[in-house]
Amino acid sequence: MENKYSQLKEYMDQADKTVAVTGAGISYLYGMRRLKQSVGRLNAGRIFSASYIRKNPEEFYKIMKDAFLDATFIKGPGPVHKQLAMLEKQGKIYGIVTQNLDCLHTIAGSENVVEFQGSFRDNICIECGNRYYDYRIWNQGHMPRCEKCGAPLMPTSFYMNAEIRGKVAGESMKRAVDMISEADLVIVIGTTGFRSDEYLSRMKADTKLVQINPSVTEFDRIADLNIRADAAEVFDAVLNK
């Protein structure tokens, strides 16, 4: 395993632009729950409807708190989030592309983060459409509300208006693809490859792909280097080399 850590460090030292791609694995390890665990028997389509949120704003907040917000604001970023932020500050990582909604990369200190599924830092009023770009509005102990009309807010990525939701998602994925298309090294961490077909096809032919994941994923067959270990252990070794 030590040889693989050395190989990863060599790749990172040689690359002009390294991009990390992170998935749910690095959040579930540190307390994040799957939405369906919090929703239980309730239908997600029903929960993310304007009518449900109007009638049950605090219940919606409780579901978000149980699924995401406690892990975000109480438990906070895990070791991998902090290590990636440190590597960015050292110039070893250019940016992060994540499928996670939790904002933990930002809270940990990473600055160049693309959340291609959206996150709790991009929010919209369910009535007037006013936008709020601040994850901290979810850390008030109650449902955030619009300063303009008083209606509840929700993450734009969950918004019921398909046109707006689709536009936001398209813009986010474009930013992710643009970042990855410029990379010399892509490190995928804790993801099985959700929507990877949308960005893998844009990688340069000579870009190195490294996977860090204890489990088997679709990246196994294409990775230049597979590291079957916990990412925190891997980056701890890299930072100490």
Side-chain angles (χ1 to χ4, degrees), residues 60-88:
F60 179 84
Y61 176 78
K62 283 175 60 180
I63 292 169
M64 294 299 99
K65 184 174 184 295
D66 185 60
F68 302 107
L69 303 178
D70 280 352
T72 294
F73 296 115
I74 297 175
K75 296 177 181 177
V80 179
H81 302 98
K82 296 173 183 177
Q83 289 164 332
L84 290 174
M86 187 179 300
L87 287 165
E88 183 182 342

Side-chain angles (χ1 to χ4, degrees), residues 158-177:
F158 295 155
Y159 193 47
M160 62 292 300
N161 184 306
E163 182 179 352
I164 292 177
R165 188 177 67 245
K167 180 180 179 182
V168 171
E171 291 171 350
S172 297
M173 180 53 82
K174 183 181 184 304
R175 289 177 58 218
V177 169

Side-chain angles (χ1 to χ4, degrees), residues 69-186:
L69 303 178
D70 280 352
T72 294
F73 296 115
I74 297 175
K75 296 177 181 177
V80 179
H81 302 98
K82 296 173 183 177
Q83 289 164 332
L84 290 174
M86 187 179 300
L87 287 165
E88 183 182 342
K89 286 182 173 61
Q90 292 178 355
K92 296 295 185 181
I93 287 181
Y94 170 72
I96 296 170
V97 169
T98 186
Q99 69 188 58
N100 300 335
L101 309 171
D102 50 39
C103 300
L104 288 174
H105 285 300
T106 299
I107 295 171
S110 293
E111 296 183 4
N112 194 14
V113 181
V114 177
E115 298 147 326
F116 67 76
Q117 285 204 103
S119 76
F120 284 89
R121 63 174 172 176
D122 182 357
N123 304 282
I124 190 167
C125 173
I126 65 170
E127 298 296 349
C128 71
N130 207 27
R131 299 284 288 278
Y132 293 81
Y133 299 96
D134 188 352
Y135 65 86
R136 292 171 297 183
I137 63 174
W138 291 94
N139 192 27
Q140 305 174 88
H142 57 80
M143 187 71 171
R145 290 183 174 271
C146 179
E147 295 177 354
K148 183 178 178 181
C149 71
L153 307 180
M154 68 185 301
T156 308
S157 54
F158 295 155
Y159 193 47
M160 62 292 300
N161 184 306
E163 182 179 352
I164 292 177
R165 188 177 67 245
K167 180 180 179 182
V168 171
E171 291 171 350
S172 297
M173 180 53 82
K174 183 181 184 304
R175 289 177 58 218
V177 169
D178 287 347
M179 185 185 292
I180 290 171
S181 69
E182 297 174 354
D184 306 298
L185 173 63
V186 174

Side-chain angles (χ1 to χ4, degrees), residues 3-16:
N3 289 339
K4 291 192 174 185
Y5 295 165
S6 296
Q7 183 66 72
L8 173 58
K9 185 175 186 303
E10 183 179 329
Y11 282 164
M12 294 178 72
D13 288 342
Q14 292 174 349
D16 291 326

Side-chain angles (χ1 to χ4, degrees), residues 11 42 46 54 57 92 136 151 158 192-193 202 229:
Y11 282 164
L42 294 175
R46 172 189 168 200
R54 284 190 195 98
K92 296 295 185 181
R136 292 171 297 183
F158 295 155
T192 57
R202 292 289 302 278

